[in-house]
């Protein structure tokens, strides 16, 4: 869904993954809140309306671009446990997500749960940037949790993708299934009264309600008795990290994105550096040349990531990881490889907000797919970040203790040479970086509007496999046959390719917004 350019009198623009998320942000903008108030209201509402993609039991990142002041990245992603216990004591087993065309394996159980950061992140951003009280910001989320919302076709489809996880335990079944054990379906109303009460309690009690309070006590007892890693110290010691964004210039645009220890922003910056060496004047969008160039850059980015041990540096939290991969000599070597090649003729959600004053906010949240365990009486599905292969490249149970997990999530801001300011980001597991990269290229190199940039077809190339959406020029896919070991042609657009939700503020104050329909996107101008 996209919304065109509006008059300067608008209060702001919103793009996200669900109408209830958008409605919460809109209500707060209409009530006089700023972009940060609105995005926090949307944050909490998303945990209600987009429960497969995000949860108060997960984590995320928020990139704030105040109209006055320096941009800041809030890292409240999950943390590895302080200490391991014997692996035979751990509740940890495989489950599969079924996207229709491909299946992806995840691991669930209490042993898949890392230390959550979402609640502390919510309160940290509120303390620094919000203008309205937390009790007001959570009102829309409490209302929709208590009264319920009608599941759309896309919502029901997403439930089905991870259905095996949602029915793995009785506590999860109670939230996501009917009395006969079937998953909730399109047209049915999803009510979450326990979650409504939990959100109200959090607004009144603060972050300590989980991290030092009664919810945390329940969680620790469950981990101790049922095979989780977490202790009371994991919860009490967790801290939100405030970081300077990773900044890169690209064809007159300034891109701000997620810095280390996460990898998504670095890899986007690397890919943009490769593309900066290319002349796009004769590269038509959707053509074989366009597709081949994207595939070459994606392949080169993957190779540089491995050859230069980027993930090891991020996992070990060594200083200089970004500088290591973005060193000019290294970039020049890889760019030459791309330039010399002939051109032939996963659960995550995102919310972007810009307000009339020019405040910009990009928020990406994830719960993995959920570990199947709902904290009793709370309605909160806990994360399974220790069970995601993408986040555990060294193998399961090999994570370094007490480290912030590296993520592909990359909420980003862009200031384009034509005067447009853009907030954007994506869900989609390992596809996040390629989805954001392609939207940025569409905006900057192809001069597309935000709706065009988001709606156009995408490619994801990794490990020798090219996944390709329908919509590129006839015959363009043939250009990939020499590079890819396998080309998978998808019959239509799919949430597999991410969900980029973006908003734009033009230099004259007008707004535009686009919600990615691959993930039920919604766009509104208030």
């Amino acid at each position: 869904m996209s919304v065109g350019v509006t008059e300067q009198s608008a209060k702001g623009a919103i793009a996200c993954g669900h109408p209830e998320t958008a409605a919460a942000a809109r209500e707060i903008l209409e009530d006089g809140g700023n972009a940060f108030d609105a995005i926090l209201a949307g944050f909490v509402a998303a945990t209600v309306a987009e429960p497969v993609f995000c949860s108060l039991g997960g984590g995320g990142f928020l990139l704030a671009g105040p109209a006055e002041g320096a941009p800041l990245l809030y890292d409240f992603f999950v943390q590895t446990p302080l200490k391991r216990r014997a692996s035979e004591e751990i509740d940890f087993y495989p489950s599969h997500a079924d996207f229709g065309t491909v299946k992806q394996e995840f691991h669930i159980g209490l042993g898949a749960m890392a230390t959550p950061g979402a609640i502390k992140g919510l309160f940290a951003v509120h303390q620094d940037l919000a203008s309205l009280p937390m009790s007001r910001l959570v009102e829309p989320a409490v209302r929709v949790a208590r009264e319920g919302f009608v599941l759309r076709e896309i919502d029901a489809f997403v439930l089905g993708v991870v259905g095996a996880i949602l029915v793995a335990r009785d506590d999860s079944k109670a939230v996501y299934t009917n009395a006969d054990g079937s998953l909730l379906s399109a047209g049915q109303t999803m009510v979450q009264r326990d979650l409504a009460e939990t959100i109200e309690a959090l607004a009144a009690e603060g972050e300590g309600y989980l991290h030092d309070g009664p919810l945390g006590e329940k969680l620790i007892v469950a981990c101790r008795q049922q095979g989780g890693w977490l202790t009371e110290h994991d919860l009490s010691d967790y801290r939100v990290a405030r970081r300077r964004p990773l900044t890169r210039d690209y064809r007159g645009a300034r891109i701000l994105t997620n810095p280390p220890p996460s990898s998504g922003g670095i890899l986007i910056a690397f890919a943009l550096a490769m593309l900066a060496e290319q002349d796009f004047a004769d590269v038509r969008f959707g053509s074989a040349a366009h597709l081949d160039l994207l595939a070459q850059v994606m392949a080169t980015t993957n190779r540089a990531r491995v050859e230069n041990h980027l993930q090891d540096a991020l996992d070990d939290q060594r200083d200089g990881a970004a500088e290591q991969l973005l060193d000019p000599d290294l970039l020049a070597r890889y760019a030459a490889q791309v330039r010399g090649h002939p051109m032939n003729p996963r659960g995550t959600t995102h919310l972007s907000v810009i307000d009339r004053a020019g405040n910009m906010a990009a928020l990406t949240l994830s719960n993995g797919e959920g570990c199947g365990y709902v904290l009793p009486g709370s309605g909160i599905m806990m994360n399974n970040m220790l069970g995601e292969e993408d986040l555990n490249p060294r193998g399961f149970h090999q994570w370094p203790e007490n480290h912030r997990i590296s993520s592909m999530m990359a909420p980003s801001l862009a200031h384009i040479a034509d005067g447009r300011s853009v907030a954007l980001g994506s869900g989609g597991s390992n596809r996040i970086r390629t989805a954001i990269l392609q939207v940025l290229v569409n905006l900057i190199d192809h001069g597309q509007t935000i709706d065009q940039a988001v709606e156009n077809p995408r490619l994801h190339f990794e490990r020798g496999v090219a996944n390709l959406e329908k919509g590129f020029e006839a015959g363009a896919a043939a250009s990939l046959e020499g590079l890819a070991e396998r080309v998978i042609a998808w019959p239509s657009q799919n949430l597999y390719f991410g969900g980029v939700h973006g908003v734009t503020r033009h230099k004259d104050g007008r707004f535009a917004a686009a919600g990615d329909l691959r993930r039920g996107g919604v766009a509104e101008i208030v």
Side-chain angles (χ1 to χ4, degrees), residues 238-298:
Y238 182 91
R239 299 290 183 270
V240 174
R242 293 167 172 84
R243 308 185 193 280
R244 180 181 301 174
L246 177 63
T247 303
R248 297 292 295 179
D249 292 332
Y250 176 73
R251 302 191 197 277
R254 173 144 290 190
I255 314 296
L256 295 85
T257 189
N258 197 2
S262 284
S263 60
I266 303 174
L267 295 171
I268 291 169
F270 181 92
L272 288 172
M274 296 296 96
L275 287 167
E277 297 288 327
Q278 311 302 315
D279 182 2
F280 265 77
D282 297 320
V283 180
R284 186 177 62 259
F285 179 87
S287 65
H290 171 233
L291 204 56
D292 185 70
L293 178 57
L294 285 176
Q296 285 294 326
V297 167
M298 290 177 192

Side-chain angles (χ1 to χ4, degrees), residues 439-520:
V439 171
L440 287 171
V441 167
N442 291 347
L443 289 167
I444 299 167
D445 290 302
H446 297 294
Q448 294 178 3
T449 62
I450 188 66
D451 57 315
Q452 292 170 332
V454 167
E455 291 169 7
N456 273 320
R458 292 184 195 137
L459 162 74
H460 180 74
F461 186 93
E462 188 171 13
R463 299 177 182 177
V465 178
N467 283 277
L468 187 69
E469 283 188 315
K470 182 179 180 180
F472 289 97
E473 290 183 2
S479 68
L480 301 175
E481 293 178 357
L483 178 66
E485 299 172 11
R486 183 184 178 199
V487 177
I488 301 175
W490 292 64
S492 60
Q493 291 186 336
N494 190 281
L495 60 82
Y496 177 85
F497 292 88
V500 180
H501 307 312
V503 293
T504 299
R505 185 175 185 268
H506 292 251
K507 60 183 177 181
D508 63 2
R510 295 175 301 150
F511 294 101
D516 198 330
L517 293 179
R518 294 171 182 84
R519 292 197 170 215

Side-chain angles (χ1 to χ4, degrees), residues 112-154:
M113 185 199 320
T115 307
I119 290 172
K120 281 203 171 183
L122 175 71
F123 282 92
V125 177
H126 183 263
Q127 173 184 308
D128 291 354
L129 299 171
S131 65
L132 297 178
M134 184 65 77
S135 57
R136 175 66 184 101
L137 300 185
V138 304
E139 285 179 5
V142 170
R143 188 167 58 246
V144 72
R146 184 165 287 138
E147 297 176 0
F149 65 97
V150 177
L151 292 168
R152 303 169 297 168
E153 292 287 347
I154 182 66

Side-chain angles (χ1 to χ4, degrees), residues 292-482:
D292 185 70
L293 178 57
L294 285 176
Q296 285 294 326
V297 167
M298 290 177 192
T300 303
T301 303
N302 293 334
R303 187 165 63 252
R305 179 188 185 192
V306 173
E307 291 176 354
N308 292 281
H309 306 288
L310 173 64
Q311 199 60 51
D312 290 341
L314 294 173
D315 287 344
D316 294 340
Q317 298 190 352
R318 298 199 296 267
D319 292 336
E323 291 79 2
Q324 170 186 316
L325 191 65
L326 300 176
D327 175 78
D329 292 338
L330 184 69
L331 287 171
R333 176 162 62 87
Y334 281 108
Q337 295 174 16
V338 173
R339 195 165 52 243
H341 188 89
M343 287 192 220
N344 302 316
R346 173 154 93 64
T348 315
T349 194
H350 182 82
L351 170 61
S352 296
V353 181
I354 298 181
D355 67 22
R356 182 164 51 194
N359 295 304
M360 307 169 66
L363 167 70
T364 311
L365 299 168
S366 182
N367 200 40
E369 297 69 40
C371 71
Y373 173 74
V374 173
L375 191 57
S378 74
I380 298 176
M381 168 73 83
M382 302 306 298
N383 71 83
N384 71 322
M385 299 302 185
L386 300 182
E388 286 214 40
E389 183 181 1
D390 293 343
L391 301 183
N392 295 273
R394 294 176 175 176
F396 296 122
H397 310 329
Q398 301 302 310
W399 32 264
E401 296 171 343
N402 195 29
H403 276 53
R404 193 61 50 93
I405 292 180
S406 178
S407 171
M408 280 292 172
M409 289 189 284
S412 302
L413 306 177
H415 300 282
I416 303 176
D418 62 10
R420 287 180 292 171
S421 294
V422 183
L424 76 165
S426 179
S429 189
N430 232 23
R431 280 78 65 190
I432 289 173
R433 59 189 169 92
T434 54
I436 295 173
L437 172 69
Q438 288 169 89
V439 171
L440 287 171
V441 167
N442 291 347
L443 289 167
I444 299 167
D445 290 302
H446 297 294
Q448 294 178 3
T449 62
I450 188 66
D451 57 315
Q452 292 170 332
V454 167
E455 291 169 7
N456 273 320
R458 292 184 195 137
L459 162 74
H460 180 74
F461 186 93
E462 188 171 13
R463 299 177 182 177
V465 178
N467 283 277
L468 187 69
E469 283 188 315
K470 182 179 180 180
F472 289 97
E473 290 183 2
S479 68
L480 301 175
E481 293 178 357

Side-chain angles (χ1 to χ4, degrees), residues 17-18 21 43-59 77 95-99 104 106 108 149 151-167 172 175-177 183-185 190 192 195 346-350 364-374 379-385 388 409 427-429 431 495 518-519:
H18 198 279
T21 306
F43 178 161
V44 185
T47 67
V48 177
E50 305 177 56
V52 171
F53 293 141
C54 64
S55 168
L56 294 172
F77 198 44
S95 184
H96 290 84
D98 187 351
F99 290 91
Q104 189 169 356
F106 302 100
I108 62 174
F149 65 97
L151 292 168
R152 303 169 297 168
E153 292 287 347
I154 182 66
D155 302 326
F157 173 75
V158 169
L159 292 181
V161 168
V162 296
I165 297 173
L166 302 182
V167 301
S172 180
V175 178
Y176 297 101
T177 67
L183 286 171
L184 295 173
S185 59
M190 185 173 184
Q192 301 167 81
L195 186 54
R346 173 154 93 64
T348 315
T349 194
H350 182 82
T364 311
L365 299 168
S366 182
N367 200 40
E369 297 69 40
C371 71
Y373 173 74
V374 173
I380 298 176
M381 168 73 83
M382 302 306 298
N383 71 83
N384 71 322
M385 299 302 185
E388 286 214 40
M409 289 189 284
S429 189
R431 280 78 65 190
L495 60 82
R518 294 171 182 84
R519 292 197 170 215

